[in-house]
């Protein structure tokens, strides 16, 4: 089949005295945010190219049709399709969700406490069918405190422009007009007369908080807070004791918070602490005290406490620890629960408020696992919580746990209908030495029968941005590769916070290349220690993890058999220079500001995947993107693919798949998500010659 060719139109770009040629910049439309809302506005020539790439991908993956179907059935067969969540006990009702064999979306249910009559208050499949849309993204689903109203937000394009609806649960009739172009998050007032929401500006940034009176015209909505900085975005939440609303405004690196009482008739947000660059803080209130989770004078965070916010006298409550990330607090009347993260592993601690004795909650004798807690009810006068647990080989388990008696009872276990034996799998945690001596944690999962003599193929997953830590939890999907003798390794590289705030700082801004070096060091370690061999590693990452894949494949392509890049941030220099795009300004403290700072420009220019494609051999590459993605525009992977076709000197396959009705997270619905995973895995098995 003929290889798709994107027309070249040379444009010479210049910044800080440096010039470079971009032959494919023309595909970016000035009205790109309008295109995200309405795909009919897409340049017809660009649409034709994307469709040709889709046909080319289908052609080259035509021999994977059977394995894709098999993978889809396998993955779906490991999911208990007709399942129910554990109920949460509100004051008058218990609420929970369920899924069905045929449905793709969840159903929300409730029953009055003490009765057996179950009500269905939301059915995602029915709502989607009613709207007649191809994409159906649910942003938020909230019930009012008086249990009368259901508020929900929907994105029907994939572009994350959410419309809010509020309806009477009994009559199912809308009680107020829809509110468009919001961030999707909904917060009810305690008297249920209002909702609070954040509105998106013309650059798709939530910078205004409004209060809407139910039943009123949206033109009368009251603006209660506006963020003036284009780099900051805002959100609103209720305190743990239901006494205050907190407005948080932040970028990735700096935050500022305001508060007002829940009974203020005209909300007047008051500042807690002025913002200072690099200082993050988050205040919550409980039982007449205010708790501040902050990195001020505590790189890996601490928690301070005070009795009032008007004239605060902050005192230490949880002290900082070196390279141990201190998490937030969960409150009950007699207990405070908190988390810590170190060496890419989480721990949970519980404190008796009366005795002030703190103990670690011990979950398992497994070395690598993910703990979690959730509240069982809204009433905080209880000793009971839910404890959650999973590991790379052990499906999730949830226990009802009594904090006082320490009794626990299994209340839910993740069922694998097609069968699963944890003893068939081996999980290892090792550390590899990076280029500068830093130890990078690797979580390795393999089938017990897979030989570690260098013959096995290996999938190396990485992300490494925004301080986002990769959790070593159970995944039913990965088993489809692991069962076929492909070792799965998650590299906990810098840019995340697996080793605390320093781990993030060492992987961003002018340290970003450490992220790539950590990943390459991980690949070399796995080769040297016979987990795999050169040309048997398949790299995988999405979004900022796609930036990682793009930078690494330019730098060390010889190590890899293939790359799977999902919605990849590969034209990072062009995006960073465009301050009108939704995320750019808010990410100056993550990636830098190339337009205004020469050193930032030179650094990004030196690693940006699109700008650093070389005339050399590249491995097999599958790139997936979505037409309505507002976070990483489809034109980034499209340009990257076109330029890579022009430069690469090998005969390996290079495929671009564009979902025409999807967003940053891919297609909506359970089956849609499984289809995308099956495509990725079929590609991996094809290049590993396992089909």
């Amino acid at each position: 089949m003929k290889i798709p060719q994107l027309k070249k139109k040379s444009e010479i770009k210049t910044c800080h005295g440096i010039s470079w040629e971009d032959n494919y910049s023309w595909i970016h439309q000035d009205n790109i945010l309008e295109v995200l809302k309405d795909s009919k506005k897409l340049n017809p020539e660009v649409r034709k190219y994307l469709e040709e790439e889709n046909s080319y991908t289908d052609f080259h993956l035509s021999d994977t049709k059977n394995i894709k179907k098999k993978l889809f059935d396998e993955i779906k067969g490991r999911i208990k399709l007709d399942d129910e969540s554990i109920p949460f006990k509100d004051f008058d009702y218990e609420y929970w969700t369920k899924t069905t064999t045929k449905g793709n979306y969840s159903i929300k249910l409730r029953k009055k406490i003490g009765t057996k009559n179950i009500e269905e208050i939301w059915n995602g499949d029915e709502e989607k069918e009613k709207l007649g849309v191809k994409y159906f993204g649910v942003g938020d689903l909230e019930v009012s405190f008086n249990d009368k109203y259901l508020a929900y937000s929907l994105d029907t394009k994939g572009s994350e422009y959410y419309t809010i609806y509020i309806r009477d649960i009994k009559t199912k009739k809308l009680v107020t007009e829809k509110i468009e172009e919001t961030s999707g998050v909904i917060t009810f007032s305690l008297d249920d007369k209002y909702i609070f929401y954040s509105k998106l500006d013309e650059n798709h940034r939530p910078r205004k908080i409004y209060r809407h009176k139910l039943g009123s015209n949206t033109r009368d909505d009251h603006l209660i807070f506006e963020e003036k900085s284009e780099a900051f975005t805002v959100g609103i939440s209720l305190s743990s004791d239901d006494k205050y609303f907190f407005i948080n405004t932040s970028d990735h690196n700096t935050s500022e918070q305001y508060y007002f009482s829940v009974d203020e008739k005209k909300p007047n947000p008051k500042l807690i602490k002025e913002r200072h660059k690099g200082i993050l803080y988050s205040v919550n209130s409980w039982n007449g005290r205010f708790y501040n989770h902050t990195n001020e004078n505590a790189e890996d965070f601490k928690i301070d406490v005070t009795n009032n916010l008007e004239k605060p006298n902050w005192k230490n409550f949880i002290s900082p620890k070196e390279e141990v990330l201190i998490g937030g607090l969960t409150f009950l009347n007699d207990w405070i629960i908190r988390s810590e993260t170190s060496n890419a592993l989480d721990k949970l601690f519980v404190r008796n408020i009366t005795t002030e004795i703190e103990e670690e909650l011990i979950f398992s004798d497994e070395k690598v696992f993910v703990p979690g807690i959730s509240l069982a009810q809204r009433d905080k006068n209880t000793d009971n919580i839910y404890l959650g647990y999973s590991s790379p080989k052990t499906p999730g388990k949830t226990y009802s746990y009594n904090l006082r008696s320490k009794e626990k009872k299994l209340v839910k276990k993740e069922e694998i209908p097609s069968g699963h034996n944890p003893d068939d799998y081996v999980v290892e945690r090792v550390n590899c030495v990076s280029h500068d001596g830093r130890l990078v944690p690797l979580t390795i999962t393999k089938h017990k029968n897979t030989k570690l003599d260098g013959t096995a193929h290996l999938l190396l997953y990485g992300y490494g941005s925004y301080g986002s830590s990769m959790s070593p939890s159970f995944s039913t999907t990965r088993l489809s590769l692991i069962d076929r003798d492909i070792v799965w390794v998650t590299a906990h590289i810098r840019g995340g916070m697996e080793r605390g705030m320093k781990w993030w700082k060492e992987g961003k801004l002018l340290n970003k290349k450490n992220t790539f070096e950590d990943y390459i060091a991980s690949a070399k370690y796995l080769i040297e220690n016979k987990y795999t061999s050169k040309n048997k590693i398949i790299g995988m990452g999405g979004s900022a993890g796609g930036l990682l894949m793009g930078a690494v494949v330019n730098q060390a392509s010889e190590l890899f058999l293939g790359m799977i890049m999902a919605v990849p941030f590969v034209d990072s220099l062009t995006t960073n220079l465009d301050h009108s795009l939704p995320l750019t300004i808010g990410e100056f403290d993550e990636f830098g500001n190339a337009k205004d700072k020469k050193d930032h420009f030179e650094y990004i220019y030196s690693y940006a995947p699109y700008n650093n494609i070389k005339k050399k051999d590249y491995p097999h590459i599958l790139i997936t993107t979505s037409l309505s993605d507002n976070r990483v525009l489809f034109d980034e992977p499209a340009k990257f693919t076109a330029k890579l076709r022009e430069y690469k000197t090998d005969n390996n396959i290079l495929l671009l798949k564009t979902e025409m009705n999807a967003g940053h997270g891919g297609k909506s619905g359970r089956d849609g998500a499984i289809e995308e995973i099956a495509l990725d895995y079929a590609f991996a098995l094809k290049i590993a010659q396992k089909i």
Side-chain angles (χ1 to χ4, degrees):
M1 185 178 182
K2 186 180 176 184
I3 299 174
Q5 297 291 330
L6 184 61
K7 187 194 299 181
K8 292 169 70 172
K9 297 180 183 177
S10 178
E11 179 185 356
I12 304 300
K13 295 181 175 180
T14 303
C15 190
H16 299 295
I18 296 173
S19 297
W20 68 100
E21 185 178 37
D22 188 342
N23 289 319
Y24 304 106
S25 60
W26 66 271
I27 73 168
H28 177 78
Q29 296 179 219
D30 291 337
N31 65 335
I32 189 62
L33 294 183
E34 291 300 314
V35 175
L36 298 182
K37 294 182 195 176
D38 183 1
S39 65
K40 293 175 184 174
K41 296 181 179 180
L42 177 64
N43 181 332
E45 190 175 352
V46 175
R47 180 184 293 277
K48 183 173 179 289
Y49 169 71
L50 296 177
E51 289 171 346
E52 286 174 355
E53 286 284 6
N54 282 350
S55 297
Y56 185 76
T57 297
D58 292 343
F59 174 79
H60 277 279
L61 294 181
S62 59
D63 58 346
T64 67
K65 185 177 179 181
N66 291 337
I67 191 66
K68 266 194 293 186
K69 175 70 167 64
K70 191 172 183 180
L71 287 166
F72 181 90
D73 291 341
E74 270 181 21
I75 295 167
K76 196 167 182 177
R78 295 192 197 101
I79 301 170
K80 189 175 187 296
L81 302 176
D82 52 340
D83 200 9
E84 295 193 7
S85 68
I86 299 170
F88 177 80
K89 192 177 286 187
D90 212 327
F91 293 122
D92 295 320
Y93 285 86
E94 285 185 301
Y95 288 89
W96 70 101
T97 59
K98 77 170 184 179
T99 53
T100 63
T101 304
K102 293 183 179 179
N104 269 294
Y105 301 89
S106 64
I107 297 168
K108 193 171 182 71
L109 304 167
R110 74 177 184 181
K111 72 180 181 72
K112 205 152 196 175
I113 295 170
T115 70
K116 294 183 179 179
N117 182 36
I118 296 174
E119 287 180 79
E120 182 179 295
I121 64 171
W122 169 266
N123 186 311
D125 287 282
E126 289 182 3
E127 298 292 336
K128 180 178 185 288
E129 189 176 348
K130 231 184 331 187
L131 291 172
V133 293
K134 292 181 179 179
Y135 183 91
F136 185 75
V138 182
D140 204 353
L141 202 62
E142 298 291 335
V143 176
S144 60
F145 291 93
N146 61 12
D147 301 295
K148 285 178 63 176
Y149 306 115
L150 177 72
Y152 55 97
S153 58
L154 300 177
D155 167 20
T156 58
K157 301 288 184 184
S159 52
E160 298 180 60
Y161 287 92
Y162 287 96
T163 299
I164 293 174
Y165 304 84
I166 308 164
R167 71 184 181 205
D168 186 291
I169 291 175
K170 294 291 185 186
T171 66
K172 294 192 175 181
K173 291 183 178 178
L174 293 179
V175 297
T176 197
E177 62 180 302
K178 64 183 180 182
I179 307 171
E180 296 180 310
E181 298 194 355
T182 78
S183 69
V185 181
I186 306 161
T187 304
F188 273 99
S189 63
L190 264 66
D191 61 9
D192 299 309
K193 293 180 180 179
Y194 303 92
I195 64 159
F196 298 96
Y197 66 94
S198 52
K199 190 86 170 173
L200 299 175
D201 65 13
E202 65 274 12
N203 299 113
H204 199 284
R205 298 168 188 150
R207 290 170 49 222
K208 293 180 179 180
I209 299 286
Y210 283 92
R211 185 176 74 164
H212 170 78
K213 186 175 183 180
L214 271 61
S216 70
N217 193 304
T218 55
R219 288 195 297 270
D220 299 326
D221 288 359
H222 176 53
L223 175 66
I224 64 167
F225 182 83
E226 181 176 5
E227 172 56 56
K228 299 298 184 182
S229 168
E230 290 187 337
F232 278 48
T233 57
V234 300
I236 186 168
S237 61
L238 185 63
S239 64
S240 290
D241 57 10
D242 293 347
K243 291 182 179 178
Y244 301 94
F245 285 105
F246 288 105
I247 293 174
N248 187 69
T249 180
S250 66
D251 61 9
H252 293 286
N253 195 55
T254 305
S255 66
E256 188 173 75
Q257 202 170 4
Y258 297 75
Y259 74 105
F260 60 93
S261 173
V262 296
D263 53 13
E264 288 185 31
K265 291 186 178 179
K266 290 187 176 180
N268 178 32
K270 294 166 278 293
L271 176 65
I272 296 176
K273 292 180 96 173
E274 280 188 12
R275 69 189 67 175
H276 291 283
K277 189 173 178 62
I279 301 300
L280 294 164
Y281 75 90
S282 177
V283 173
N284 198 355
S285 72
W286 180 254
N287 199 24
R289 305 179 87 191
F290 298 90
Y291 295 84
N292 183 21
H293 181 239
T294 181
N295 68 341
E296 187 173 11
N297 300 317
E299 186 170 51
D300 293 317
F301 288 84
K302 63 178 178 177
I303 296 172
D304 290 337
V305 63
T306 187
N307 290 327
N308 74 75
L309 288 180
E310 291 181 7
K311 294 182 179 179
N313 178 25
W314 294 105
K315 295 181 179 178
N316 181 250
F317 182 68
I318 301 294
S319 300
K321 298 180 184 180
E322 182 72 16
E323 294 202 10
V324 176
L325 188 66
I326 302 297
L329 305 178
T330 299
F331 299 97
L332 293 174
N333 280 9
D334 297 328
W335 309 94
I336 296 176
I337 306 160
R338 67 179 185 87
S339 65
E340 289 184 0
T341 303
S342 60
N343 196 30
L345 295 172
D346 296 336
K347 293 179 179 179
L348 291 175
F349 298 85
V350 60
R351 177 187 294 240
N352 184 311
I353 292 177
T354 304
T355 65
E356 294 197 349
I357 295 173
E358 186 175 85
E359 297 177 283
E360 183 181 353
L361 289 169
I362 304 298
F363 283 75
S364 166
D365 56 3
E366 288 190 62
K367 291 182 179 179
V368 180
F369 64 89
V370 179
I373 66 111
S374 60
L375 298 182
Q377 59 187 56
R378 185 179 290 277
D379 183 0
K380 305 293 178 65
N381 186 25
T382 180
D383 298 324
N384 293 317
I385 60 169
Y386 291 129
L387 285 184
Y389 162 88
S390 79
S391 80
K393 71 174 186 177
T394 307
K397 298 177 182 178
T398 305
Y399 298 89
S400 176
Y401 183 76
N402 187 286
L403 292 163
R404 200 171 300 278
S405 69
K406 300 184 180 179
E407 293 177 8
K408 73 176 183 179
K409 177 186 175 185
L410 183 66
V411 292
K412 186 173 177 59
K413 182 179 179 180
E414 184 178 355
E415 293 182 38
I416 312 298
S418 58
H420 175 75
N421 181 5
D423 293 335
D424 287 341
Y425 304 92
V426 177
V427 178
E428 281 187 80
R429 168 57 65 79
V430 300
N431 290 296
C432 82
V433 181
S434 192
H435 68 108
D436 57 356
R438 289 289 257 157
L439 295 178
V440 180
L442 304 177
T443 301
I444 302 169
T445 310
K446 74 176 191 73
H447 195 278
K448 66 179 182 181
N449 294 331
T450 301
K451 294 178 181 178
L452 297 184
D453 58 3
T455 60
H457 285 85
L458 183 146
L459 190 141
L460 183 57
Y461 181 83
Y463 186 74
S465 286
Y466 305 112
S468 181
S469 299
M470 297 297 100
S471 179
S473 56
F474 183 73
S475 165
T476 58
T477 62
R478 295 174 189 171
L479 299 177
S480 287
L481 294 184
I482 295 169
D483 286 348
R484 290 174 171 84
D485 284 334
I486 294 180
V487 180
W488 186 290
V489 180
T490 298
H492 304 281
I493 52 184
R494 278 176 282 186
M497 282 205 282
E498 288 93 337
R499 287 190 184 274
M501 194 77 166
K502 189 183 291 184
W503 202 244
W504 181 15
K505 289 179 179 178
E506 290 181 8
K508 66 174 183 173
L509 290 172
L510 299 180
N511 294 317
K512 188 65 202 168
K513 289 180 184 178
N514 284 332
T515 305
F516 317 140
E517 294 289 353
D518 286 357
Y519 187 86
I520 292 168
S522 301
K524 289 179 177 178
Y525 172 93
L526 294 162
I527 293 166
E528 290 163 5
N529 289 275
K530 301 295 184 183
Y531 288 96
T532 188
S533 298
K534 256 189 183 184
N535 297 313
K536 284 184 175 289
I537 300 178
I538 301 165
M540 187 176 192
S543 193
L547 165 66
L548 167 69
M549 295 300 116
V552 165
V553 82
N554 283 335
Q555 190 174 333
S557 57
E558 71 282 356
L559 298 177
F560 297 91
L561 169 66
M563 288 279 183
I564 299 171
M565 305 163 64
V567 289
F569 181 37
V570 281
D571 192 14
S572 51
L573 179 65
T574 302
T575 293
N576 191 273
L577 289 168
D578 188 346
H579 293 187
S580 71
L581 295 178
L583 301 186
T584 296
I585 292 178
E587 295 184 345
F588 284 167
D589 283 322
E590 179 70 26
F591 296 109
N593 180 356
K595 189 174 183 178
D596 298 329
K597 297 183 178 181
K598 186 178 181 181
D599 57 339
H600 288 193
F601 170 83
E602 290 174 346
Y603 192 74
I604 296 171
Y605 185 72
S606 72
Y607 72 74
Y610 179 69
N611 298 89
N612 287 277
I613 293 171
K614 301 176 178 69
K615 284 194 177 294
K616 66 169 185 172
D617 287 359
Y618 280 81
H620 302 285
I621 299 177
L622 170 65
I623 300 172
T624 57
T625 187
S626 298
L627 186 60
S628 297
D629 186 352
N630 86 82
R631 301 188 188 209
V632 179
L633 301 177
F634 70 87
D635 51 40
E636 290 200 35
K639 288 173 64 179
F640 183 81
T641 302
K643 184 175 179 181
L644 190 55
R645 285 202 196 288
E646 183 185 349
Y647 275 69
K648 74 189 194 82
T649 54
D650 57 84
N651 293 316
N652 293 327
I653 55 174
L654 169 60
L655 305 175
L656 173 66
K657 173 74 171 176
T658 304
E659 294 296 342
M660 307 305 276
N661 296 287
H664 192 65
K667 293 193 282 191
S668 64
R670 181 174 61 200
D671 284 359
I674 297 172
E675 285 167 4
E676 292 186 324
I677 295 167
L679 173 73
D680 290 343
Y681 288 6
F683 173 80
L685 294 173
K686 174 184 171 73
I687 63 176
Q689 298 181 342
K690 289 181 177 287
I691 58 171

